[in-house]
Amino acid sequence: MSASLVAVSHGAEAKQKVKIAWVGPLTGALSAYGLGGRNSAELAIQVMNANSAANYDYELVALDDECKPNVGVQVVTKAAVDRSIIAAIPFYCSSTAMAAIDIFNRYKLPMVVWAAVLPEITYGNNYPEVHRVTGALIGQNKVGAKFMKDAGYKTFISFADSTDFGKSTTKYFSLYTGEEGGKILAGFSVPPDQQDLSAELTKVKELNPEVVYFGGLVPLGARLRTQMEKLGIKAQFEGNSAIMGDAYITAVGPELAEGTIAFYDSPSLSQTAGGKFFLEKYQTAGFKEAPEAYGHFSYAATMLVLEAIEKVGPTRAAVTAELGKTKDRPSIVGPITFDDHGQNVTLQTTKYIVQDGKWIVWEDSEYASGKRKLKNLE
């Protein structure tokens, strides 16, 4: 699954070192995702450097954005002004991405987003430097709305954080749920660090929705799910790719996580050749942290950049041009094709549910077979 490389004879001559920046949350509440993403990018570097046919010696420069917009601007600027850094693999958090996205265009630094799914990251501007291997959250909400309708749900509450990411999830959730005939009883927006949700959840309980849809990241989602239980709210809990991964289940516990539904632009790694390859390589490398939900995308984004450098050389302009030509490019996440805004359009939105402390593809679950029942459908 590694890059196809043209063999060259280097003899005893040392290879030119090429630096790639990686950006994500290495500390703070979302560090599990960041550490998994960084490890996965490092794995791609290791795989390429182990190939004797590689033209260059690659080094990953990992930068911690803490999932904070102001910090993201600082570390991205640091990478952008360093001319020895040829490309970047940035962002788990969409709010951080939106704060720093202009910097890549200003300094002509090509990049491939490894996780953040806000549509405006790619579609908000027409920057040739900006690309993304993960999907935008449009597809997740469209698939989710149809699934929930087919399951029999009719009344919903939208509960999101007040960041750009939360606003966008609410926008597309509302759009597609409305198109499918669902009734949204109310919408709530709170700061992502708000601890006490009792005022909002008291109103939710009064409205008695069949489903609570959550648009935000794991820390707030875990508080929401836990406090729903405390107040006796029995609605079905639904989210998107931001709550995918072991971190959500660990935060709320297997019992409260049970039956949570989410929609995510990737099939199960254990069910694809690329996923199995990645998991085997990751385990062999001996990383202490799990790859989490977006590790394989981080690997794919990094490898895509490395392959581009191998083909056209380590200059920012050449790499930007090469990435823009990406069409049906094989990767561990499937073929990658970028549209005219650098967005990967060849993604597979998959339905997931938590069963016995693990995220399971819906079709493989006991909920799909009818052995277990979703809430409010019993």
Side-chain angles (χ1 to χ4, degrees):
M1 298 299 296
S2 59
S4 295
L5 304 172
V6 177
V8 293
S9 177
H10 297 285
E13 182 181 353
K15 297 178 183 180
Q16 177 184 346
K17 183 175 288 294
V18 176
K19 295 181 181 180
I20 305 297
W22 180 96
V23 183
L26 297 175
T27 57
L30 294 160
S31 61
Y33 294 96
L35 293 169
R38 180 206 60 190
N39 293 347
S40 301
E42 182 61 44
L43 179 61
I45 296 287
Q46 292 176 12
V47 169
M48 184 63 81
N49 284 341
N51 193 321
S52 61
N55 294 311
Y56 307 99
D57 179 33
Y58 295 97
E59 177 184 337
L60 191 72
V61 179
L63 301 169
D64 181 12
D65 66 14
E66 303 176 30
C67 195
K68 297 178 180 178
N70 61 322
V71 179
V73 168
Q74 293 172 15
V75 298
V76 169
T77 301
K78 178 181 178 180
V81 300
D82 183 348
R83 302 305 298 184
S84 69
I85 291 178
I86 303 303
I89 313 297
F91 304 132
Y92 176 79
C93 296
S94 291
S95 58
T96 306
M98 291 303 296
I101 200 72
D102 295 343
I103 299 169
F104 296 95
N105 178 249
R106 187 181 313 142
Y107 288 94
K108 308 304 179 188
L109 178 63
M111 58 89 110
V112 181
V113 174
W114 65 274
V117 297
L118 187 73
E120 288 78 8
I121 294 170
T122 46
Y123 293 122
N125 299 284
N126 192 17
Y127 291 156
E129 296 81 14
V130 175
H131 311 85
R132 175 165 50 190
V133 292
T134 46
L137 53 80
I138 298 172
Q140 297 174 19
N141 282 282
K142 190 171 185 177
V143 170
K146 185 177 188 309
F147 174 84
M148 298 304 281
K149 175 189 176 180
D150 291 345
Y153 291 113
K154 297 178 181 179
T155 60
F156 300 79
I157 286 290
S158 172
F159 202 111
D161 69 39
S162 56
T163 67
D164 288 339
F165 176 74
K167 293 173 184 176
S168 190
T169 61
T170 299
K171 172 184 174 181
Y172 290 106
F173 165 75
S174 301
L175 171 64
Y176 294 120
T177 297
E179 288 184 355
E180 294 292 346
K183 184 177 181 181
I184 301 174
L185 303 178
F188 298 87
S189 177
V190 302
D193 59 352
Q194 182 170 320
Q195 301 299 309
D196 184 2
L197 307 174
S198 58
E200 291 82 5
L201 287 178
T202 298
K203 296 177 183 177
V204 171
K205 187 172 183 179
E206 292 173 356
L207 292 167
N208 193 29
E210 295 173 337
V211 178
V212 170
Y213 169 83
F214 172 65
L217 302 177
V218 165
L220 179 60
R223 291 194 293 274
L224 174 61
R225 180 66 191 94
T226 301
Q227 293 179 42
M228 282 174 58
E229 187 70 16
K230 183 178 180 180
L231 289 177
I233 298 172
K234 302 302 182 182
Q236 174 64 41
F237 195 60
E238 173 197 3
N240 55 36
S241 61
I243 62 169
M244 284 293 300
D246 294 338
Y248 166 74
I249 298 173
T250 300
V252 302
E255 183 176 347
L256 289 188
E258 179 71 24
T260 297
I261 297 171
F263 306 92
Y264 171 51
D265 294 316
S266 175
S268 172
L269 294 183
S270 63
Q271 296 178 354
T272 68
K276 292 175 182 177
F277 166 86
F278 169 75
L279 291 174
E280 180 181 346
K281 287 287 186 181
Y282 195 95
Q283 183 177 12
T284 300
F287 296 113
K288 294 180 180 179
E289 303 87 4
E292 274 294 346
Y294 282 93
H296 58 306
F297 282 108
S298 183
Y299 178 96
T302 306
M303 190 59 76
L304 187 66
V305 166
L306 299 180
E307 291 172 346
I309 295 172
E310 286 292 313
K311 184 175 180 180
V312 301
T315 66
R316 292 183 176 185
V319 173
T320 295
E322 181 62 22
L323 289 173
K325 300 175 185 177
T326 301
K327 181 178 176 59
D328 295 327
R329 185 72 172 180
S331 81
I332 65 163
V333 298
I336 298 172
T337 294
F338 291 141
D339 65 13
D340 60 354
H341 278 70
Q343 175 62 53
N344 184 13
V345 294
T346 53
L347 291 151
Q348 304 175 60
T349 301
T350 305
K351 303 176 285 288
Y352 285 86
I353 189 166
V354 177
Q355 178 178 302
D356 298 329
K358 295 181 180 180
W359 287 103
I360 304 291
V361 173
W362 168 260
E363 287 80 2
D364 299 334
S365 72
E366 293 184 357
Y367 291 89
S369 69
K371 188 174 181 179
R372 303 190 196 190
K373 300 295 183 181
L374 296 173
K375 292 186 177 182
N376 291 321
L377 295 179
E378 299 176 357

